[in-house]
Amino acid sequence: MPDDSLPPETIRHARQGDMAAFEEIVRRFERPVRAWVAAHCPPGGDSDEVAQKTFIAAFARLDEFEDGTSFPAWLFTIARYQLMTETTRLRRLADYHTRYAPDLLDRELERRAADPSSRMTARLVHLLTCLEALGEPARRFVDWRYADQIPLQEMAERTGRSIAAVKKQLWILRQKLQECVEQKLAAEEGGAA
Amino acid sequence: MKPEGRFAELWTEYLEGELDEAGHLELRSLLAEHEPLRKQAADLYQVHRLLGFAGAAGDAESFVRDTLAQVPRISEAFVQGIMQQVQRRERPPDSPAEHGSKVVRFQPTVRPSANAARTWRRREWLAAAAALMVTAVGGAVWWGRRLRPLTFARVTQDAGALLMRDGRVVAVNELLPEGRLALVQGTLGLTYGRGVQVVIEAPAEFECRDAESLLLHSGRLAAHVPAEATGFTIETPRGQVIDRGTRFALDTSPQASTQVHVFEGKVDALAQDAPAAARRLVTGEALNLTRELEALQLRDGAFVHPEELPSVVAGLRIGQQQRWVAWRQTVQNDESLVLFAELDPQRLADGPVAGRMSVAGTRPVQGRWPGKTCLDFNQQGDAVKLDVGGQRVWPQLTLAAWVRLDRLGEPYQSLYHTDDWQRGRPGQLHWMITRSARMRLALQGNIIKGAAPGQNKFADADSSIPVLPERGRWVHLAAVYDSEARTVRFFLNGAFDNEVRHDIAHPAQLGSAQIGNWNQHDRKLSGRFDELVILGRALPDEELRAIHAAGNPYA
């Protein structure tokens, strides 16, 4: 798991306008914040933009951070606020729900945004581990879709399957990964108890 | 088909962006009717998004860079740091230092992450990071190979300038690259071959076209053109200004259109919308480049002039900005602090005074430091409204502000006006610059020493030195009120000016008030207001000197 600790002097220096110190903060928390926002950002929202706004707002409000309290908790509170703002903005788009989101998914994501932020970091770590465990052909399939962003048509041509079969394969892989993550989370919670 | 099977089809179509309107409706019905499917949808959506996030390998560096580029910078060291990194990265490890090299390469350092996520696709992450480095270096080569540096204009002053071209940071060297440049923060002084001096202040976009002209897309610019360079032309989207031997300035923005101000000599102004109606402007005149060529009041404080810039550059070089940052921290911990307000729209929205102040009109412009925004007041009605302290009274009060004034001699330049003055509430306070350019602190019900009640009841406490010489520069104004000692003491740039004694002196009261305006047509402000601090005690002279010294942008 990522190390959430941050030397108090880093925050102090950033508060005094030391951009190198603030850069250290962005580098330290870039990944968990982006992952958390990505997983909770409603369809159609730009999750990296929300993550950036989180850091920018954090910089502007560093004076308000209370020394001795949890910096990650403070940062994720800002992230929640920024996400809420983005969600509100999206909902105000006249045709948002017909274009992007089943409103019920939207609500479920909003509910989950209240969960501890550490769960999403754990989820990401387990997801990547589960992907490793899939084996080369399946992993390559996921890479094509998510890393290389190859169109379904081309994926179909590369594999000699129909587009429908490619979609089915993606469904299966997403489900497998989801189940794998849930198992690992359950094992982790059981172990902790 | 079972709901689960249909959901699998619809959900895959949805994630692939191929679900049509009918499909959306069907999917919604399924989710509404089957609670487990809602959970599954959210689970799979999060898997999908996290895979997408992880798949965007190697973009951590660009995320960090983009984020930092958006942060309102308050440290000159930031720009210097970037440039030092740029220069370091530019140099191959085994090559000697390349001071004076004009080619800039960005080669982001990819720091190893402690995150266990790197267990996945380590190769891919590294490959993507390498690809990013190649892209960045390639971009820099593109900079060096395709963009010729300008030969007819040089950077001669750099006050924390951050320049970008096509979304990439450009190192501020003596030579600028050709093409459209965005000055994101700071102030830049350029010198053209025949001695033309141009100062451009962020935010601005411009293009040095040739030895005779500059295209200002947006922003504020001041130019000094010697006689031998007569004919130097500034083009803007709204028209052009041709110098006829002068000192002039332009302000082009969506809000202000394009304004031309002539401080000395003459220029010919030609509006895009009225090409046949060129207008010659002479010393002290200003106009808007519209079809009507509408006349304006001259604003000299709205521009940074070539003679001011070296002192700003020197101030940054000796660390004045860092000194101010440290002072800001100190003053916010002062137990007597009543209000510390940076009139930066973002700080007003997110900072310690969030929710306590509202802005009417005004325009965000550069403040005392590169990257720091403040508010520009010019129109009647431009104001910051606030409520400080309610009915509370202060026997002692110190008000201090950093402002940059345009015009003096008008009835009043409003600094801080409480709204209940007209109700005759004793201690209500008005702080302003009078028509004789003196600072005034008036408290409702007070009577200055020697004034017979009823005979001279409107006599107010004024400074003795006019603020006039400080027009067009940042100036620190302060007034210290002590109702117990029955005195008002004035300070101009940290120096004690004058003490006015009172026979009757009520404790000060603030409450609802306005900065830069009041509900009278003759109470407005023309200029920039950067920072206001109010302390509930009478600051001694040495502390006022220290406040000025800590916040002074000049060396």
Side-chain angles (χ1 to χ4, degrees), chain B residues 224-455:
Chain B
H224 287 195
V225 183
E228 54 270 35
T230 296
F232 186 80
T233 302
I234 307 285
E235 293 177 40
T236 76
R238 302 274 182 168
Q240 59 179 202
V241 175
I242 305 162
D243 170 81
R244 299 300 177 201
T246 193
R247 295 166 62 239
F248 67 98
L250 285 96
D251 178 1
T252 185
S253 73
Q255 300 98 317
S257 179
T258 292
Q259 299 181 2
V260 187
H261 299 254
V262 180
F263 309 113
E264 186 184 336
K266 52 199 172 195
V267 302
D268 288 333
L270 196 65
Q272 185 86 16
D273 293 341
R279 172 78 59 84
R280 176 153 292 188
L281 293 175
V282 298
T283 304
E285 291 187 325
L287 60 69
N288 217 337
L289 277 183
T290 54
R291 180 184 291 274
E292 295 76 23
L293 294 173
E294 158 205 9
L296 300 168
Q297 284 189 295
L298 189 75
R299 300 191 68 197
D300 54 5
F303 304 94
V304 177
H305 297 276
E307 62 268 28
E308 180 188 356
L309 192 53
S311 181
V312 176
V313 173
L316 290 170
R317 198 168 288 145
I318 62 173
Q320 278 301 98
Q321 191 174 359
Q322 283 75 18
R323 199 173 169 193
W324 168 77
V325 168
W327 170 82
R328 182 177 67 169
Q329 187 65 36
T330 306
V331 77
Q332 289 182 98
N333 292 329
D334 192 310
E335 287 183 359
S336 69
L337 184 70
V338 176
L339 176 75
F340 175 72
E342 293 171 60
L343 298 197
D344 173 334
Q346 184 168 349
R347 298 286 297 179
L348 291 177
D350 296 341
V353 296
R356 295 164 60 194
M357 302 174 85
S358 63
V359 179
T362 74
R363 180 177 157 197
V365 294
Q366 183 167 251
R368 297 192 324 284
W369 314 111
K372 184 180 191 296
T373 303
C374 73
L375 294 178
D376 187 30
F377 296 73
N378 189 33
Q379 306 295 325
Q380 184 71 44
D382 285 354
V384 173
K385 298 180 180 180
L386 67 164
D387 193 330
V388 176
Q391 300 298 311
R392 186 177 166 184
V393 295
W394 283 274
Q396 297 179 325
L397 207 63
T398 297
L399 300 104
W402 278 103
V403 295
R404 187 181 175 91
L405 302 166
D406 274 331
R407 283 192 301 275
L408 291 169
E410 291 185 6
Y412 298 99
Q413 293 280 325
S414 171
L415 297 173
Y416 193 100
H417 280 76
T418 56
D419 290 336
D420 281 350
W421 175 279
Q422 284 168 313
R423 295 186 183 178
R425 193 167 283 167
Q428 283 281 300
L429 174 153
H430 279 189
W431 187 32
M432 69 197 90
I433 311 290
T434 66
R435 72 181 70 220
S436 62
R438 283 164 171 82
M439 198 186 337
R440 169 172 293 173
L441 185 72
L443 279 89
Q444 178 65 270
N446 279 12
I447 295 181
I448 63 170
K449 196 170 182 62
Q455 188 182 12

Side-chain angles (χ1 to χ4, degrees), chain A residues 16-17 27 31 34 39 41 43 52 60 64 100 103 112 128 131 143 145-147 167 174-175 178, chain B residues 13-14 16 18 28 40 43 45-46 48 59 61 66-67 70 75 117 120-121 125 325 347 350:
Chain A
Q16 290 171 354
R27 286 187 188 283
R31 204 158 189 188
R34 289 172 73 197
C41 192
Q52 277 177 341
E64 296 165 34
Y100 289 118
D103 53 342
R112 291 183 182 198
L128 300 176
L131 193 59
D143 282 353
R145 170 63 183 84
Y146 288 100
K167 286 179 181 171
R174 286 175 186 135
Q175 266 204 318
Q178 165 61 17
Chain B
E13 295 287 324
Y14 174 71
E16 297 307 323
E18 296 184 353
R28 194 195 181 286
Q40 193 179 7
D43 285 344
Y45 175 80
Q46 291 193 314
H48 168 76
D59 68 349
E61 193 64 30
D66 290 350
T67 304
Q70 290 179 53
S75 166
W120 179 53
R121 303 177 63 221
W125 278 102
V325 168
R347 298 286 297 179
D350 296 341

Side-chain angles (χ1 to χ4, degrees), chain A residues 5 7 25 43 50 59 66 86 105 116 118 121-122 131 156 188:
Chain A
S5 64
I25 292 172
V50 174
F59 181 81
E66 288 180 34
E86 174 69 356
L105 168 68
S118 58
T121 313
L131 193 59
E188 199 171 70

